[in-house]
């Protein structure tokens, strides 16, 4: 008797469950940026907002702050994120097994499109007297946290200028929001940062203290730029930041949106298509994005294209 009741109850519940209309579950998509004060975090947030506004019935995009380029590339490989932002030089190194990835290339890394250019910068507080890269000897300088892209750029600059990070100055490994604060609080004298312009990450400390930006243009830098396809020499125009009244010569990389071969082709197709269909919205969302254009966004991609991106670019006749 009791057994029969249980059976009827179970049958009833099952029947109700099976006949109830199923709410379509949204797919969570995680997009890795970098420091909260940087431009990468804005890439992650702005693309997430475009996706949620246009395809919110299918996806739930979440932009996350992270340690930066190196962290993002490694997290994509582990499957912890679906998309991330990374410097073009770091993509090349990861895919080809150089620098941090020596002997351990990440062959599953995939490119989607390029974003804004980023300049390698050394920013000092003016009262430290730092006017050239060599002047950091004996000072306290942030070279970037280990997951960041800029740490590798800082190490290249130090090597080319013959400065030993273990003996010639006190190197700090802070995330950028900590470094900007530490510069203002006089806990560090200068920081390296590789970032798009103009950025709040430099504007903010520049409004609190007088800063000086240092040229990074030694012959050795120019030789490296000649050799590597992902570097170009550039200038940061005078007046970009408060107190920097001359053009600063340095070199630049490109911020790139990347993914992993594991990420579903349709997910990547939907993202790439929606971004290009809403390029005006993306351009207007941050000062560093205002010059984005299709032609340049398809250049400088050092890992192979993800098939989802390739499908859209072919449909558009862009390749
Ligand atoms: N280029 C930096 C990195 O790769 C991040 C810059 C930013 O947050 O905009 O870690």
């Amino acid at each position: 008797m009791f057994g029969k009741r249980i059976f009827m109850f179970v049958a009833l519940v099952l029947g109700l469950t099976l006949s109830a209309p199923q709410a379509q579950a949204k797919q969570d998509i995680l997009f890795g940026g970098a420091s909260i004060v940087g431009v990468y975090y804005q890439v992650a947030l702005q693309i997430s907002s475009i996706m949620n506004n246009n395809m919110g019935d299918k996806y739930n995009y979440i932009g996350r702050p992270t340690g930066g380029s190196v962290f993002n590339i490694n997290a994509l490989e582990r499957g912890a994120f679906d998309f991330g932002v990374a410097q073009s030089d770091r993509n090349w190194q990861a895919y080809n097994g150089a620098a941090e990835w020596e002997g351990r290339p990440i062959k599953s890394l995939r490119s989607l499109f390029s974003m804004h250019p980023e300049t390698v910068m050394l920013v000092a507080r003016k009262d430290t007297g730092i006017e050239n890269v060599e002047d950091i000897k004996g000072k306290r300088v942030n070279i970037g946290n280990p997951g960041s892209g800029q740490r590798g750029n800082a190490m290249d600059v130090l090597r080319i200028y013959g400065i030993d990070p273990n003996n010639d100055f006190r190197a700090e490994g802070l995330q950028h929001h900590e470094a900007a604060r530490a510069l203002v609080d006089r806990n560090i004298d200068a920081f390296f940062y590789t970032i798009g312009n103009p950025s709040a990450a430099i504007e903010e400390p520049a409004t609190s203290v007088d800063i000086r930006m240092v040229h990074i243009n030694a012959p050795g830098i120019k030789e490296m730029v000649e050799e590597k396809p992902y570097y170009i020499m550039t200038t940061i125009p005078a007046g970009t930041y408060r107190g920097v009244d001359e053009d600063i010569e340095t070199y630049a990389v490109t911020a790139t949106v990347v993914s992993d071969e594991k990420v579903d082709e349709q997910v990547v197709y939907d993202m790439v298509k929606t971004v290009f269909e809403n390029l005006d919205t993306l351009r207007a969302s941050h000062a560093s994005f205002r010059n984005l254009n299709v032609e340049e966004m398809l250049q400088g991609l050092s890992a192979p294209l993800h098939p989802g991106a390739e499908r859209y670019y072919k449909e558009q006749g862009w390749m």
Side-chain angles (χ1 to χ4, degrees):
M1 187 62 194
F2 185 68
K4 192 171 169 192
R5 262 203 218 150
I6 289 268
F7 174 80
M8 284 173 67
F9 177 73
V10 169
L12 182 71
V13 169
L14 260 182
L16 281 177
T17 316
L18 291 177
S19 60
Q22 296 284 305
Q24 185 74 49
K26 288 189 198 183
Q27 190 176 350
D28 281 341
I29 303 288
L30 291 184
F31 200 136
S35 168
I36 41 168
V37 297
V39 182
Y40 283 15
Y41 189 42
Q42 292 303 318
V43 174
L45 290 182
Q46 301 304 338
I47 293 182
S48 291
S49 127
I50 289 175
M51 291 308 296
N52 292 335
N53 287 338
N54 289 279
M55 298 200 77
D57 49 345
K58 192 167 174 190
Y59 300 114
N60 177 37
Y61 269 69
I62 305 157
R64 284 269 163 83
T66 74
S69 289
V70 173
F71 178 97
N72 290 346
I73 290 170
N74 293 334
L76 285 168
E77 189 198 25
R78 289 197 312 273
F81 284 95
D82 300 284
F83 300 114
V85 196
Q87 292 178 198
S88 49
D89 54 345
R90 305 317 231 133
N91 292 337
W92 191 93
Q93 292 164 345
Y95 188 74
N96 293 290
E100 274 86 345
W101 300 276
E102 184 81 57
R104 195 184 70 82
I106 302 199
K107 288 296 177 197
S108 60
L109 185 67
R110 291 293 176 269
S111 299
L112 270 56
F113 48 82
S114 290
M115 289 286 299
H116 54 286
E118 303 183 87
T119 50
V120 179
M121 286 181 272
L122 175 58
V123 176
R125 241 189 11 263
K126 216 171 209 162
D127 63 10
T128 59
I130 296 173
E131 293 186 8
N132 299 299
V133 179
E134 289 90 344
D135 296 336
I136 66 171
K137 287 185 183 164
K139 305 279 200 242
R140 217 169 143 178
V141 180
N142 189 48
I143 59 171
N145 57 300
S148 72
Q150 68 263 17
R151 190 174 171 114
N153 301 133
M155 295 304 275
D156 283 341
V157 172
L158 295 170
R159 179 176 43 77
I160 289 169
Y161 279 85
I163 301 169
D164 178 355
N166 297 315
N167 295 308
D168 293 340
F169 71 99
R170 192 156 151 202
E172 300 290 345
L174 305 172
Q175 273 240 43
H176 191 73
H177 54 280
E178 301 165 318
R181 186 66 211 253
L183 187 83
V184 172
D185 292 348
R186 299 187 146 65
N187 290 327
I188 58 169
D189 299 308
F191 58 69
F192 281 95
Y193 204 16
T194 304
I195 189 166
N197 296 301
S199 78
I202 313 249
E203 273 164 357
E204 276 167 17
T207 52
S208 305
V209 289
D210 290 337
I211 61 159
R212 180 170 275 129
M213 219 174 249
V214 172
H215 296 283
I216 304 179
N217 57 358
I221 296 283
K222 292 182 177 165
E223 278 162 33
M224 176 181 71
V225 169
E226 275 290 301
E227 268 168 31
K228 310 284 187 192
Y230 39 76
Y231 291 141
I232 54 158
M233 289 306 296
T234 189
T235 51
I236 304 160
T240 303
Y241 296 105
R242 192 187 79 89
V244 184
D245 303 324
E246 56 166 332
D247 289 353
I248 301 297
E249 195 184 12
T250 185
Y251 68 107
V253 297
T254 308
T256 316
V257 175
V258 285
S259 185
D260 189 275
E261 67 177 4
K262 289 187 288 296
V263 177
D264 187 65
E265 197 206 310
Q266 190 63 38
V267 169
V268 175
Y269 176 88
D270 286 345
M271 194 270 246
V272 168
K273 181 172 193 284
T274 310
V275 164
F276 281 98
E277 284 176 357
N278 293 276
L279 201 50
D280 285 338
T281 309
L282 185 61
R283 273 192 207 107
S285 69
H286 191 277
S288 292
F289 307 155
R290 63 182 160 223
N291 295 322
L292 291 179
N293 61 79
V294 173
E295 199 188 326
E296 286 176 350
M297 289 172 81
L298 266 51
Q299 289 168 7
L301 303 169
S302 28
L305 273 183
H306 192 288
E310 197 173 343
R311 167 151 67 104
Y312 180 69
Y313 300 153
K314 284 195 169 144
E315 266 175 29
Q316 296 301 304
W318 294 343
M319 53 181 295

